Amino acid sequence: MHVLRSAYKIRKGTLFHFVFWIVRTKEKLLEQRILKGIFSFHFCCLNQNFICWKDMAAVSHLTVGHSTSQLSLSRSFTKNRRETLCSLIPGARGFSSLPQRAFFSQKSGARKRTPEVHMVLDTEQVDTQNNNEYLSTLAREFEQRFTPPHVTDIFPIEPIPSTFCVNSSCPLPDRQLLDQAKNLGKIFVHDDDRVLLKVIKYASPTSAGAECIDPDCNFINQWVCRAGPRARIYFSPDEVKAAIVTCGGLCPGLNDVIRQIVLTLEIYGVKDIRGIQYGYRGFFDDTLADISLSRHLVQSIHLNGGSLLGVSRGGGNTSEIVDSLQKKGINMLFVLGGNGTHAGANAIHDECRKRGMKVVVVGVPKTIDNDIMLMDKTFGFDTAVEAAQSAINSAYIEARSAYHGIGIVKLMGRQSGFIAMHASLASGQIDVCLIPEVKFYMDGPSGVLQHLQHLLETKGSAVLCVAEGAGQELLDKVNATDASGNPLLSDIGVHLQQQVKKYFKDKSIPADVKYIDPTYMIRACRANSSDGILCAVLGQNAVHGAFAGFSGITVGICNNHYVYFPIPEVIAQPRNVDPSSRMWHRCLTSTGQPDFHTTD
Ligand SMILES: Nc1ncnc2c1ncn2[C@@H]1O[C@H](COP(=O)(O)OP(=O)(O)O)[C@@H](O)[C@H]1O
Ligand SMILES: O=P(O)(O)OC[C@H]1O[C@](O)(COP(=O)(O)O)[C@@H](O)[C@@H]1O
Ligand SMILES: [Mg+2]
């Protein structure tokens, strides 16, 4: 029996429900990346890590994970469901359950790495029949997973005609009659409107950035729910008690979103709108009274950065929060925050359902780090990138004006290097960009230091941009977390500055090193115009989603269209820069930096 040794690489959190490549011939494998003599290709799934294969007996060798992470099965993903999915894969008849260990835990802050699963397969047993059925079942499964939870899943509520109108001057009779409302200029989104999550059909797995479900790169439709006002709503405005809470770190645009939520709620006719102070803390700290919100109060809050309501990390006992919702009679909760906040929002949604409360919980993803899955971008990110330009420009000016000047700029980005990558690309002034997702070495002929020396020798100066989460493996661990459980990082910026100074001093090469860390300046500011628009659309759509009866959802922009995602799908793991993505390649093209991957 011809046994083919192959390596399946599982990447948690790709956009597909799961990706399985059946490789028929050794030649096909040769088209893929070759890793240490073992053929390597992608086998991916979203949220759930599981392996299907034709016959357990065909697998004679299986190793999972690597030194820094472990692969686990999602607890929520039942055995039956796994078996059903496995049975859909041509030739797959089994699945492997792997150790239930915390995987990429946001709380523990485990570094997100790609674990690898190596197995030996007997390729003769691979059967590729029923491909079409397999593809359409995948598409159906995907649609089911991405159907947002709805109040009618729990309560048999009859909808009423929408009270929404594009502005508050619409005549009331029109707003209350569905048929007439339909004629108000196509203002309502149809309940069955969908947006495609992926829009590229890759012709080959070797195409740049390709994520394929099989060796032929078949395309499956991955539809997500379109956001917007519905003609029928599930809350009467006079029964609504709405609350807004902003959690986590600051982010430009928080006030813009608060403002839009309030304005839109008022247009629906809601009178009782309150702001919860200082994040989830406001739910359980009795000294923090709610702020009554109105169009009048929020009219100009977007002119300032920060959050009118205040933010905080930590706390967030779900049961206490839901007790507080119950006590206050809140039935529409808008939660503005990042992945931690959304985990909390989903827990609140679950708890409300458990208690049989007619409450809808709608998130608006906020983070300058842009580390939320599946969306084009999060609000605040653009502004942060723009604000970083002034630090980069100053570092550039300093470096260019000094003899053998080296500018180093550290930018935020705990686990994801989007800010550093985009800021570097935007500035066109960066020679070296270092991000958490791409390992680098300082020393040796392929190290960062040698390259800086080369830059001084060839162009006389150098500017380096580093994300705060980059190169943590080069530093002593802090072994502590913030109040929310996010890992505290060692200071890579200061480390680089010291290493660079020492390197050139030891070599008796003059080098004038200037270090700039703009820290909170890139987020404690007013949103720029692009983010202002994004915030307006997200804020309004959050309210439409709540009135439409969706709960446990978040609003996002996807291929330039606005959609509702079930929360678990976007927080399954933090979004990272893909080192094989076109964007990272563009950044490398712009900086001209080599790989700092090896010490040889
Ligand atoms: N897994 C979780 N479940 C419930 N609440 C969480 C979870 N992770 C974080 N939180 C809460 O969400 C809030 C914000 O989280 P944090 O990680 O600081 O910011 P962000 O939402 O921007 O990621 C905090 O009050 C924190 O306690
Ligand atoms: O010092 P703080 O307020 O805890 O925030 C620092 C962190 O906040 C961020 O700006 C964004 O983090 P969140 O999205 O979790 O709020 C990170 O880039 C940075 O590491
Ligand atoms: Mg976070």
Side-chain angles (χ1 to χ4, degrees):
M1 193 185 292
H2 172 64
V3 174
L4 185 62
R5 177 171 287 254
S6 35
Y8 288 79
K9 194 176 201 181
I10 293 188
R11 281 203 311 187
K12 194 164 182 276
T14 61
L15 303 184
F16 283 127
H17 191 174
F18 66 90
V19 178
F20 190 84
W21 284 13
I22 304 285
V23 178
R24 285 157 240 176
T25 62
K26 200 163 181 170
E27 289 69 47
K28 283 235 168 188
L29 270 177
L30 284 167
E31 289 172 19
Q32 316 302 331
R33 201 150 50 93
I34 293 176
L35 181 75
K36 288 184 191 157
I38 300 174
F39 304 100
S40 171
F41 54 95
H42 287 189
F43 165 114
C44 320
C45 54
L46 178 66
N47 302 347
Q48 300 88 15
N49 291 296
F50 60 96
I51 309 167
C52 304
W53 60 80
K54 185 185 177 208
D55 188 345
M56 299 277 266
V59 179
S60 60
H61 174 73
L62 176 70
T63 58
V64 183
H66 51 60
S67 56
T68 58
S69 64
Q70 290 289 329
L71 190 67
S72 78
L73 279 170
S74 161
R75 279 158 224 253
S76 62
F77 200 54
T78 63
K79 184 170 178 258
N80 280 350
R81 191 152 174 240
R82 283 195 299 272
E83 278 176 336
T84 311
L85 285 168
C86 289
S87 71
L88 301 169
I89 298 172
R93 286 193 207 113
F95 68 90
S96 165
S97 161
L98 297 160
Q100 296 264 5
R101 294 269 297 272
F103 182 65
F104 299 155
S105 146
Q106 286 165 24
K107 285 256 167 203
S108 72
R111 193 89 191 279
K112 192 180 111 34
R113 298 272 305 274
T114 303
E116 293 182 4
V117 177
H118 302 269
M119 57 172 101
V120 175
L121 274 190
D122 177 354
T123 50
E124 282 171 24
Q125 296 182 36
V126 170
D127 168 14
T128 53
Q129 299 284 309
N130 304 323
N131 229 22
N132 288 342
E133 191 194 334
Y134 148 67
L135 294 174
S136 54
T137 310
L138 275 186
R140 272 199 309 277
E141 276 272 342
F142 183 90
E143 177 145 11
Q144 271 169 21
R145 262 184 49 219
F146 278 78
T147 300
H150 195 269
V151 279
T152 53
D153 301 341
I154 307 287
F155 304 100
I157 309 169
E158 281 303 315
I160 57 169
S162 179
T163 53
F164 174 70
C165 184
V166 281
N167 61 46
S168 49
S169 63
C170 286
L172 263 176
D174 280 353
R175 296 165 71 189
Q176 286 168 351
L177 290 174
L178 174 63
D179 288 342
Q180 291 182 37
K182 268 186 183 162
N183 295 325
L184 285 175
K186 289 189 181 171
I187 68 168
F188 295 118
V189 160
H190 194 284
D191 284 342
D192 296 331
D193 282 358
R194 296 285 181 270
V195 172
L196 262 187
L197 186 63
K198 289 199 167 191
V199 290
I200 300 180
K201 159 87 179 84
Y202 296 101
S204 158
T206 56
S207 176
E211 284 175 350
C212 298
I213 59 164
D214 56 28
D216 299 326
C217 277
N218 274 304
F219 186 83
I220 58 166
N221 294 325
Q222 296 178 307
W223 297 111
V224 290
C225 182
R226 185 178 173 208
R230 267 53 180 174
R232 293 185 182 84
I233 57 176
Y234 289 82
F235 284 90
S236 163
D238 47 19
E239 70 169 300
V240 171
K241 281 185 186 230
I244 307 173
V245 62
T246 56
C247 313
L250 277 185
C251 180
L254 282 167
N255 280 337
D256 302 60
V257 178
I258 295 170
R259 177 174 180 269
Q260 291 294 338
I261 290 175
V262 173
L263 301 186
T264 313
L265 282 168
E266 284 199 352
I267 286 192
Y268 270 93
V270 178
K271 300 267 183 313
D272 190 338
I273 312 169
R274 59 187 71 191
I276 308 294
Q277 288 201 71
Y278 299 104
Y280 288 136
R281 171 182 286 274
F283 281 113
F284 51 83
D285 185 335
D286 291 338
T287 64
L288 299 172
D290 295 347
I291 299 174
S292 179
L293 300 173
S294 63
R295 173 180 278 265
H296 176 71
L297 185 77
V298 301
Q299 193 59 48
S300 53
I301 58 172
H302 61 298
L303 301 179
N304 295 314
S307 165
L308 170 76
L309 307 174
V311 291
S312 73
R313 296 197 190 273
N317 174 313
T318 305
S319 187
E320 266 183 272
I321 294 173
V322 178
D323 288 347
S324 170
L325 288 177
Q326 240 166 345
K327 202 165 113 198
K328 294 172 197 258
I330 293 165
N331 52 10
M332 236 180 226
L333 177 62
F334 299 95
V335 183
L336 282 53
N339 31 31
T341 305
H342 275 74
N346 203 51
I348 296 168
H349 156 79
D350 285 342
E351 181 64 19
C352 289
R353 285 195 155 197
K354 217 157 70 188
R355 295 192 193 182
M357 295 161 62
K358 188 195 168 192
V359 173
V360 287
V361 182
V362 177
V364 184
K366 152 258 56 150
T367 167
I368 57 165
D369 290 0
N370 200 31
D371 59 355
I372 310 268
M373 292 270 294
L374 306 181
M375 27 200 96
D376 297 353
K377 63 177 176 181
T378 50
F379 77 80
F381 170 66
D382 257 7
T383 308
V385 169
E386 200 170 305
Q389 295 308 306
S390 117
I392 291 178
N393 195 41
S394 298
Y396 176 81
I397 291 169
E398 287 286 343
R400 286 296 291 247
S401 308
Y403 177 68
H404 277 189
I406 298 178
I408 300 174
V409 180
K410 184 181 83 171
L411 297 175
M412 281 188 173
R414 197 186 274 131
Q415 290 168 291
S416 307
F418 288 104
I419 299 176
M421 175 174 76
H422 281 243
S424 298
L425 197 48
S427 73
Q429 294 169 318
I430 294 296
D431 301 296
V432 176
C433 175
L434 303 173
I435 58 172
E437 296 86 344
V438 180
K439 205 170 167 180
F440 62 90
Y441 287 90
M442 292 299 288
D443 304 312
S446 309
V448 172
L449 295 167
Q450 179 69 50
H451 183 60
L452 290 178
Q453 183 180 337
H454 166 76
L455 290 169
L456 291 192
E457 286 163 4
T458 52
K459 58 183 273 199
S461 65
V463 188
L464 184 151
C465 176
V466 62
E468 65 175 335
Q472 289 296 304
E473 62 282 349
L474 305 174
L475 307 164
D476 293 334
K477 278 203 167 45
V478 176
N479 284 328
T481 59
D482 69 12
S484 294
N486 300 302
L488 294 181
L489 301 174
S490 303
D491 198 330
I492 184 67
V494 169
H495 176 77
L496 283 177
Q497 180 194 21
Q498 289 166 350
Q499 291 289 302
V500 173
K501 280 185 176 169
K502 182 173 179 310
Y503 175 82
F504 286 105
K505 190 172 171 212
D506 290 352
K507 291 206 153 201
S508 301
I509 301 172
D512 194 345
V513 183
K514 297 287 184 340
Y515 174 53
I516 298 180
D517 181 356
T519 66
Y520 300 100
M521 292 171 78
I522 67 167
R523 72 175 202 194
C525 52
R526 186 186 159 182
N528 67 12
S529 311
S530 153
D531 273 331
I533 292 166
L534 181 58
C535 290
V537 185
L538 294 178
Q540 293 185 12
N541 276 328
V543 176
H544 296 316
F547 267 101
F550 297 123
S551 181
I553 60 155
T554 196
V555 197
I557 180 165
C558 179
N559 300 315
N560 267 334
H561 293 279
Y562 295 88
V563 298
Y564 297 132
F565 289 113
I567 290 176
E569 301 296 341
V570 299
I571 57 164
Q573 67 167 59
R575 180 181 174 205
N576 293 100
V577 172
D578 178 354
S580 63
S581 66
R582 294 283 294 124
M583 210 51 166
W584 177 243
H585 293 167
R586 288 176 190 121
C587 185
L588 297 180
T589 302
S590 172
T591 61
Q593 72 197 65
D595 281 351
F596 303 117
H597 285 205
T598 58
T599 43
D600 338 313

